[in-house]
Structure formats: structure tokens, C-alpha cells
Amino acid sequence: MVAKIIDGKALARVVRGECKIRADKLIAAGCHPGLAVLVVGSDPASRVYVNNKVRACTEVGVESTLLEFPADVSEEEVLMKIKALNTDPAVHGILVQLPLPEHISVRKVLETISHEKDVDGFHLYNVGSLVLGNSVFPPCTPYGVQKLLESEGIDVRGQNVVVVGASNIVGKPMALMLMQQEATVAICHARTRDLAQFTILADILVVAAGKPGLIVPQMVKAGAVVIDVGINRMPDGSIVGDVDFEGVKKKASYITPVPGGVGPMTVTMLIVNTLESAERVLEAGRHISSIN
Ligand code: GUN
């Protein structure tokens, strides 16, 4: 079997086309959707991700504001900026790029963002909603994976899903979302003994471990759907996922490439969440032109 390659770039293009229509409608109604992106320090990977997010916003007509802070900025200053953005009616989404320098508490930062503008879906309120099965803003990467599966007509109900990686950003919310859709979910992580005994059972394998080459063909069931969330920069500058793509492609039924799989969908779902937020504001009559 040779797997069908799920083209995340192509799906992102389609969804961004829909986003443009939604953004145009909002603008015509007097509510220009706006996203504020905060980045602290000069981590090169964070800069690349943030620039991609800002570029994607511009493409669809979402007004983005990039706020850059030096690595030694005080926690207080970042929190004060977030509080100001919380009450700014031109801002419908606030995103603080992670990781943050050690002296800044991620928890404090995420809990300071108004849960109504938390388009990353990382606020305690949004995480709690996800646990209860009625997500306010689904976290962007798992949301993107969900869209990729839907686009191929892959029904997760009753399927054995194994999620490799238990991060707050990807693994945990991914597992919750799939469980909500009635999949049987197992989460594996760095301390899992004999990872292969779990992965081999997966009808759908989602890998978000940040370890290049972690998943080799012997660990994959024939005909499985393999979603690679990993983004690893190799010494030669190339970007690879966590899955041995060439090997596993010969065994799986579907596989996502890296780059060009999950990555473009993560950025796209951030825009979807920002538009959703702006639409809620407009519906409630709280948009900027009704305030002025
Ligand atoms: N760092 C890595 N992924 C993400 C993400 O999805 N959102 C934010 N804010 N930071 C990240």
C-alpha cells in the first residue's frame, strides 16, 4: 500500500478563501477583525511562526498587530500590555507566542488574556470547556488536524487513536477533541515504555513529540492514518517531522507531509478562531463602530 498524502497546504488555501469571505462580511458590517500577536525575545523558530501568522492574517483581511518585546522585558510589562489589549475593541484575538523566557510565568500570561479573545484556546476557561466537550476556541493545531481528517472523510468514531506527545498545546487537547468525537484514545509520552506496543494498535496515529525519525514503519499498523505534527529543523537546515515519511508512506493509508501538512492548517485555524471571535462581538453588538 502507498499512502495518500494529505495536502495541508491545499486545504489551508481553501479554508483561507472561506476566511476572506467572512472577513469581508465583517468589514462591510463595520467590524474589522483584529489579532494582536505578542512575541518575547528573539527565538528564531518563534519569529518564523509569528511572521507566518501575521502574513496569513494580511492575506485574508484580518488586521494584525505584532508586538515585539526584548527577552529581558518584565513580566509586569507583558501583563499590562495584555490587559490593555483585553479592553481594546479593535482586537478580537490575542496570542502570546510560546515559549516565553523563564522569568515570565506562562500560566500568569495565559490567564491574563481575556478568555473571549483567547484564540489559541490556552486559557484555563477554554481548556475547561474543551474537557466538558463544548470548546470556545479549539486550540489551533488539533483543530487543524481535525479539519485535515474531515477533509479526507476519515471518521474517527470508534477508531483506535494513539496520540504521541502529551503537551498542553497539542497532545492533550488533541486527545480531548478526539475523545469527544467518540474515538478510543491513548496518549503516549516521553516516559511511555515500549512505544511501539501502543502505536501498532492505532487506526489513527497522531505524532507530536518533536523527535525526528521517532516513528518507523515497524511501529505502524498497515493501513493506518498517520498525522505528523512534528516540526524539526535538521543541521543541514531542512525541516522534517517525527515520522520516517518515506518508510511509513509505504504502509499507511494516509499520511501528512512535513512541511506542507499540519503546519499550514495551524496558522489557518488561528484565523478561523479570530473571525469566530469577531463574529461573536458583532452579533452581540459590541463591535467598535457601535462603541464610537
Ligand atoms: N508555540 C508553538 N506552538 C504555538 C501555538 O500554537 N501558539 C502559541 N501561542 N505558541 C506556540
Side-chain angles (χ1 to χ4, degrees):
M1 172 178 287
V2 176
K4 177 173 181 200
I5 296 168
I6 307 179
D7 187 345
K9 240 172 141 175
L11 180 61
R13 215 174 297 127
V14 172
V15 179
R16 287 183 201 184
E18 295 162 4
C19 287
K20 173 98 183 63
I21 295 168
R22 287 170 71 178
D24 288 347
K25 264 195 198 156
L26 281 159
I27 294 165
C31 176
H32 200 135
L35 173 71
V37 179
L38 286 73
V39 59
V40 182
S42 54
D43 176 58
S46 285
R47 293 281 159 162
V48 171
Y49 297 147
V50 158
N51 289 338
N52 284 345
K53 289 169 185 179
V54 169
R55 192 170 340 109
C57 282
T58 310
E59 210 182 282
V60 301
V62 169
E63 185 83 36
S64 64
T65 312
L66 178 58
L67 298 152
E68 299 175 280
F69 297 91
D72 62 354
V73 67
S74 69
E75 183 181 89
E76 189 53 33
E77 191 175 337
V78 175
L79 297 182
M80 265 168 43
K81 187 68 213 175
I82 294 170
K83 285 176 191 161
L85 293 167
N86 282 345
T87 56
D88 182 343
V91 173
H92 304 96
I94 302 170
L95 175 152
V96 179
Q97 187 66 26
L98 303 176
L100 289 170
E102 260 177 30
H103 69 281
I104 300 181
S105 156
V106 173
R107 199 173 151 192
K108 263 196 214 162
V109 163
L110 296 181
E111 282 162 36
T112 300
I113 298 172
S114 159
H115 64 81
E116 292 183 332
K117 297 190 179 187
D118 171 37
V119 287
D120 251 337
F122 295 164
H123 188 284
L124 260 186
Y125 178 90
N126 286 327
V127 176
S129 301
L130 194 62
V131 173
L132 297 181
N134 40 14
S135 178
V136 182
F137 293 113
C140 303
T141 300
Y143 197 10
V145 171
Q146 185 187 318
K147 290 286 167 197
L148 285 167
L149 293 171
E150 277 173 20
S151 76
E152 295 296 339
I154 298 163
D155 187 0
V156 305
R157 239 176 336 160
Q159 299 288 308
N160 288 343
V161 179
V162 175
V163 178
V164 181
S167 70
N168 291 338
I169 294 179
V170 184
K172 287 182 201 168
M174 183 81 257
L176 286 165
M177 286 164 79
L178 291 163
M179 194 172 67
Q180 184 61 26
Q181 291 166 58
E182 299 177 304
T184 302
V185 184
I187 308 181
C188 300
H189 44 75
R191 298 258 179 246
T192 299
R193 274 183 284 120
D194 189 7
L195 181 61
Q197 68 170 320
F198 294 96
T199 59
I200 198 73
L201 295 176
D203 301 311
I204 301 172
L205 180 60
V206 181
V207 191
K211 287 205 176 107
L214 178 67
I215 304 296
V216 293
Q218 305 88 285
M219 299 166 77
V220 177
K221 182 162 100 170
V225 174
V226 179
I227 306 290
D228 191 350
V229 185
I231 302 178
N232 307 292
R233 186 175 289 277
M234 303 305 280
D236 67 357
S238 63
I239 302 282
V240 300
D242 293 347
V243 176
D244 163 14
F245 180 79
E246 289 307 323
V248 171
K249 177 174 87 172
K250 299 191 185 95
K251 210 163 172 196
S253 58
Y254 291 88
I255 190 166
T256 59
V258 178
V262 176
M265 287 306 291
T266 296
V267 181
T268 304
M269 300 328 284
L270 172 67
I271 296 170
V272 168
N273 278 348
T274 305
L275 292 169
E276 181 67 39
S277 176
E279 285 164 358
R280 286 177 198 158
V281 167
L282 180 65
E283 237 167 70
R286 289 187 281 118
H287 56 296
I288 194 163
S289 59
S290 72
I291 288 164
N292 292 336

